[in-house]
Amino acid sequence: MNNRLVSLILVPVALAAALTACSTGGPGGGSGGTGSHSGSAGSGSSAHGADTRCVTGTWDLDVQGTGQQMQTYLTGKGIPITSVTGTGPITLDVAGDGTMTYTTGATYVINAQVNTLPMVITQVQSGSSHGHWAWAPGSVLTMDFTGWVNAITFTSTVTVGGQASDIPFNVPDQGPGATPLAVECSAHSLTLKADASPFVLTFSRE
């Protein structure tokens, strides 16, 4: 088994989840888009009233769409991925009082070809995390985070040529404040992105 290959494949999966679970950006007003803002207004500030109203609510992540982005990213790096399937719910609950909860029950199944053998990596995510958010200063609408508590587990299994084994894997530390996310928001859609991430996380309102 190629442990290095498995690690290269799992990092983007965990990174995409960690970016969502530990950070979230703020939207551009009730009609959508990224606005121009300054100051360090909190979630309840009148300067960001429309933005706060837009992000407030329960949002469902496009899990399969995130999987497709992972496949595009990995194949672009020369990793022999043949498919990525994402299933199960990932929800983001954003409250106007500056609190937020992320809950996942998602499973990603990644198929690859290693020499002549098929490889299947399955990652199961379970649990929730919560903390506080506030609008960050600057011209791009962004959220910062404090007091984040993470209780999400990742169970990863690899099967090569019919032989299965569990993979110990630590999620990269993308804790609150380390990865603020820029946001665009509309009545039915919320997108989040960190500057250093290749992934755009797309949510729809419940």
Side-chain angles (χ1 to χ4, degrees), residues 72-152:
T72 299
Y73 175 80
L74 290 166
T75 54
K77 296 293 184 181
I79 299 173
I81 301 299
T82 57
S83 68
V84 179
T85 302
T87 58
I90 294 180
T91 60
L92 186 68
D93 291 294
V94 184
D97 63 359
T99 57
M100 180 184 295
T101 301
Y102 168 94
T103 304
T104 179
T107 297
Y108 287 99
V109 179
I110 303 167
N111 288 276
Q113 192 71 25
V114 182
N115 298 323
T116 60
L117 295 175
M119 173 189 286
V120 181
I121 297 174
T122 302
Q123 185 180 87
V124 179
Q125 306 172 6
S126 179
S128 65
S129 61
H130 63 273
H132 299 275
W133 66 272
W135 297 119
S139 60
V140 176
L141 197 61
T142 304
M143 282 181 180
D144 277 336
F145 307 90
T146 57
W148 211 259
V149 178
N150 187 16
I152 296 174

Side-chain angles (χ1 to χ4, degrees), residues 35-205:
S36 176
H37 301 268
S38 61
S40 55
S43 60
S45 169
S46 59
H48 289 277
D51 303 322
T52 299
R53 287 191 294 274
C54 188
V55 295
T56 297
T58 299
W59 301 89
D60 295 321
L61 180 67
D62 180 2
V63 176
Q64 179 56 32
T66 303
Q68 291 170 348
Q69 290 184 68
M70 293 176 195
Q71 181 175 355
T72 299
Y73 175 80
L74 290 166
T75 54
K77 296 293 184 181
I79 299 173
I81 301 299
T82 57
S83 68
V84 179
T85 302
T87 58
I90 294 180
T91 60
L92 186 68
D93 291 294
V94 184
D97 63 359
T99 57
M100 180 184 295
T101 301
Y102 168 94
T103 304
T104 179
T107 297
Y108 287 99
V109 179
I110 303 167
N111 288 276
Q113 192 71 25
V114 182
N115 298 323
T116 60
L117 295 175
M119 173 189 286
V120 181
I121 297 174
T122 302
Q123 185 180 87
V124 179
Q125 306 172 6
S126 179
S128 65
S129 61
H130 63 273
H132 299 275
W133 66 272
W135 297 119
S139 60
V140 176
L141 197 61
T142 304
M143 282 181 180
D144 277 336
F145 307 90
T146 57
W148 211 259
V149 178
N150 187 16
I152 296 174
T153 60
F154 292 76
T155 303
S156 301
T157 304
V158 61
T159 302
V160 180
Q163 300 297 314
S165 62
D166 294 332
I167 310 168
F169 185 78
N170 294 323
V171 178
D173 183 10
Q174 299 289 334
T179 313
L181 301 185
V183 179
E184 294 186 8
C185 181
S186 69
H188 303 290
S189 177
L190 177 69
T191 63
L192 314 174
K193 188 180 186 304
D195 284 344
S197 172
F199 306 117
V200 177
L201 304 174
T202 301
F203 295 81
S204 58
R205 192 185 297 275

Side-chain angles (χ1 to χ4, degrees), residues 3-57:
N3 289 330
R4 181 175 181 274
L5 178 60
V6 172
S7 296
L8 286 172
I9 294 171
L10 281 176
V11 165
V13 181
L15 178 60
L19 285 172
T20 320
C22 300
S23 321
T24 310
S31 60
T34 300
S36 176
H37 301 268
S38 61
S40 55
S43 60
S45 169
S46 59
H48 289 277
D51 303 322
T52 299
R53 287 191 294 274
C54 188
V55 295
T56 297

